[in-house]
Amino acid sequence: MNRKILVGLILIFFGYMVVALPSCKDPEHDKHAEAGKYTCPMHPQIVNNGPGSCPICGMDLVPVNSAGGKNELSLSDSQIQMANIRTVKISSSSFSTSKVLNGRLIVNPERTALVSSRYSGRVEKLYVRETGGRVNKGQALFQVYSEELQTLQQDYLLQLKQVAAFPDEKIYSSMREAAKNKLRLFGVSDTQIRSLEQSAKTSPLLTVFSNASGTVTELNITEGQYVAEGSQVLKLENFDQLWLEMDVYPNEIAGLSIGTKVKASINGMNENEQTVQIDFISPQLDPSTQILKVRAPIHNPGNLQAGMQATVFLPVSEISDAMSLPLDAVVRDEKGAHVWVKTSKNTFSPKMVKTGAESSDQIIILSGLEDVKEVVISGAYLLSSEFILKKGTDPMAGHDMSKM
C-alpha cells in the first residue's frame, strides 16, 4: 500500500514539472531577445536584427550583451571602485623625453679634511679612538708632547718682556708678533696664546682641535706613538654633500653642458629623487670603456652613502604643447595601441590611437582622440580583459590601424 502511494506522488511531481516549467519562461525575455540585436562572438562586425548564423564562421549569433553597446562596456559603481578605474580630462601640456644614464654616488674630495701634525712629538692622549665617529669643528682630537713647542712658547714670553721693558722700540714689537705668528703656524690657537700670556708658564703639552666637521674615515695614530712633522694623523669626510658621477657615451655629450639639470633617482630609494646640476664634464674619454665621466653635486638628506647606484634621466627634447597620457593608459598589442574613453556614466569604449615619443612615465598621443573629452588612465588593461570576457572578442577587432 505504501509503495503505491509513493509511486503516485512521484507521478504527480513529474506531471507538475512538465506543466509548470513552460509557464515559468519569461515571454518578455524571449520577445526582447528576438527583437534585439544579435552578433557573432568572433566577428563583432556582423550584426543582425534577429537570431541566425555568422556568414564568416558559421557560429550561432548571440544577443548583444546588455553591458553596453557592441563596442562598449558598462560597469557598476562597485566594479569601477574595485578595478580602480580613474579617468582624466583631455588637455595639452608640456612634454619632455629623456635618456637613462647609469650613475653612482662617490665622496666629494672637496669636503675632505686632513689633520696633520705640525711638529714632531709624542701622542700623550687620544680623544678620538675609532673610525666612523662624528667630529665637530673645534672638538679636541689629541694631546701631543713637543719640546720644540715649549721652546717657541719661551721665545714668545721673552718677546713680551722685551716689549714691556722697551715699549717705544718698534723692533721688539715686531719680534713679538713674529713669535706669536710662529705659534699660530704650529697650530696654537689665539685662546691658547692668551692663556700663555696670562699664566706666563710654558708647557710641552698641546691639545690639537679639529678645524672641520666630518666623519673619521682614517686614524693613523695611537697613544704613546711618536709623530713626525707633516705626518697625517687622521682624515675627515663630510658626507652632507656627495658627488653623483654619471657615465656618458660620446654621442650623448652633445646634449650636455655645464649647468645642465638632470633628474637622479637612487636605486631602491625613489623617495630621494633629486634634480641636480652638472658642474664638471671630463675632457678625456676613457679609451677602454669609451665613456666620459660627468659629475654633479647631490645633497645628502642623511641616508645616502658613497657607492650607491643611481638612475639619471638626461633631458633630450621638450614639446611645449602636446597631448600626453600616462603609459598605463595605453594598451598595446600586435594590432596597435588603444585607450579606453568614457562615453557616458560608468560606460567605456576602446579607441585606437597613434602614439609618438614617450618618457619614463608619459607617452604622446598623435591622433585618435580629437573628439574625446575623458580618458581612462588607470585600469585600462582590466577593462580590456573584462571586455573580452563579456563580449567574447578583442576590443580592437575590426579596427584598421593603417587609417590612423
Side-chain angles (χ1 to χ4, degrees):
M1 181 66 181
N2 291 336
R3 185 176 180 182
K4 291 181 179 180
I5 294 174
L6 180 60
V7 173
L9 290 173
I10 293 174
L11 292 175
I12 293 173
F13 175 77
F14 277 104
Y16 172 79
M17 292 296 292
V18 171
V19 175
L21 281 179
S23 63
C24 289
K25 297 177 76 174
D26 186 0
E28 292 297 325
H29 177 272
D30 291 342
K31 179 180 178 182
H32 174 75
E34 293 177 0
K37 300 291 185 180
Y38 286 74
T39 184
C40 175
M42 298 301 296
H43 302 90
Q45 68 270 28
I46 304 299
V47 180
N48 282 351
N49 291 326
S53 299
C54 176
I56 299 176
C57 63
M59 292 183 64
D60 291 338
L61 301 182
V62 297
V64 174
N65 197 306
S66 59
K70 85 170 179 177
N71 208 33
E72 290 183 337
L73 186 64
S74 294
L75 302 176
S76 65
D77 290 337
S78 61
Q79 287 177 314
I80 290 178
Q81 185 176 3
M82 291 179 62
N84 192 28
I85 305 297
R86 293 187 291 113
T87 62
V88 68
K89 300 285 186 181
I90 289 293
S91 62
S92 298
S93 60
S94 59
F95 177 86
S96 60
T97 58
S98 59
K99 286 185 177 180
V100 177
L101 306 177
N102 293 323
R104 69 205 61 83
L105 299 183
I106 61 175
V107 173
N108 183 352
E110 293 178 352
R111 291 178 171 255
T112 299
L114 298 176
V115 179
S116 301
S117 177
R118 300 189 182 187
Y119 28 75
S120 57
R122 183 179 69 247
V123 178
E124 288 293 312
K125 193 169 185 179
L126 193 59
Y127 298 105
V128 177
R129 297 178 176 272
E130 60 182 1
T131 60
R134 175 75 181 179
V135 170
N136 297 318
K137 185 176 181 179
Q139 179 177 333
L141 298 177
F142 60 95
Q143 187 182 68
V144 65
Y145 173 89
S146 173
E147 295 180 356
E148 182 181 6
L149 175 64
Q150 190 172 22
T151 302
L152 292 175
Q153 293 174 357
Q154 291 172 347
D155 181 51
Y156 179 65
L157 291 177
L158 176 61
Q159 300 306 323
L160 288 177
K161 292 179 180 179
Q162 295 280 15
V163 171
F166 305 98
D168 296 330
E169 297 292 336
K170 293 184 179 180
I171 187 171
Y172 294 118
S173 297
S174 299
M175 293 176 66
R176 180 196 62 186
E177 291 303 315
K180 188 175 184 179
N181 288 332
K182 191 174 291 186
L183 285 172
R184 286 172 176 166
L185 291 174
F186 271 74
V188 182
S189 67
D190 289 340
T191 302
Q192 291 170 316
I193 292 176
R194 285 193 296 270
S195 177
L196 174 64
E197 293 173 356
Q198 293 171 2
S199 64
K201 293 181 179 180
T202 63
S203 172
L205 296 176
L206 177 69
T207 300
V208 178
F209 299 92
S210 176
N211 58 358
S213 298
T215 302
V216 180
T217 56
E218 290 183 18
L219 183 60
N220 304 317
I221 58 172
T222 58
E223 286 187 357
Q225 177 182 343
Y226 279 85
V227 292
E229 181 180 349
S231 61
Q232 181 178 315
V233 175
L234 56 84
K235 183 178 182 180
L236 298 175
E237 297 284 6
N238 191 329
F239 296 121
D240 293 342
Q241 186 189 82
L242 300 173
W243 273 352
L244 173 62
E245 188 179 65
M246 296 156 273
D247 298 330
V248 178
Y249 288 97
N251 63 332
E252 299 169 334
I253 200 65
L256 288 176
S257 61
I258 301 298
T260 299
K261 293 182 178 180
V262 297
K263 188 177 291 186
S265 175
I266 309 305
N267 296 353
M269 305 175 70
N270 294 331
E271 70 277 5
N272 288 322
E273 185 175 275
Q274 296 186 37
T275 298
V276 299
Q277 189 169 330
I278 293 174
D279 66 353
F280 173 79
I281 299 175
S282 175
Q284 185 176 6
L285 182 73
D286 188 334
S288 60
T289 61
Q290 296 296 303
I291 287 177
L292 280 171
K293 300 295 184 183
V294 178
R295 193 178 66 218
I298 184 170
H299 172 68
N300 184 2
N303 56 352
L304 301 183
Q305 295 184 11
M308 287 183 171
Q309 299 298 308
T311 301
V312 183
F313 301 96
L314 173 65
V316 176
S317 62
E318 185 169 349
I319 304 174
S320 58
D321 188 15
M323 183 183 296
S324 64
L325 293 174
L327 286 175
D328 291 341
V330 181
V331 181
R332 287 179 276 194
D333 54 26
E334 68 277 3
K335 297 182 180 65
H338 71 274
V339 300
W340 284 87
V341 301
K342 186 175 181 179
T343 55
S344 60
K345 180 177 173 57
N346 293 3
T347 303
F348 308 92
S349 177
K351 186 88 170 175
M352 184 162 280
V353 294
K354 185 177 181 180
T355 61
E358 61 182 83
S359 65
S360 59
D361 57 353
Q362 296 281 314
I363 184 170
I364 285 183
I365 306 299
L366 299 177
S367 61
L369 298 180
E370 289 76 10
D371 300 325
V372 174
K373 295 182 179 180
E374 200 166 350
V375 176
V376 174
I377 60 170
S378 174
Y381 283 91
L382 290 176
L383 285 175
S384 296
S385 300
E386 184 71 10
F387 187 93
I388 295 173
L389 181 64
K390 287 187 174 182
K391 305 287 185 176
T393 183
D394 192 310
M396 288 295 99
H399 288 71
D400 188 0
M401 185 63 186
S402 63
K403 295 181 180 180
M404 295 299 298

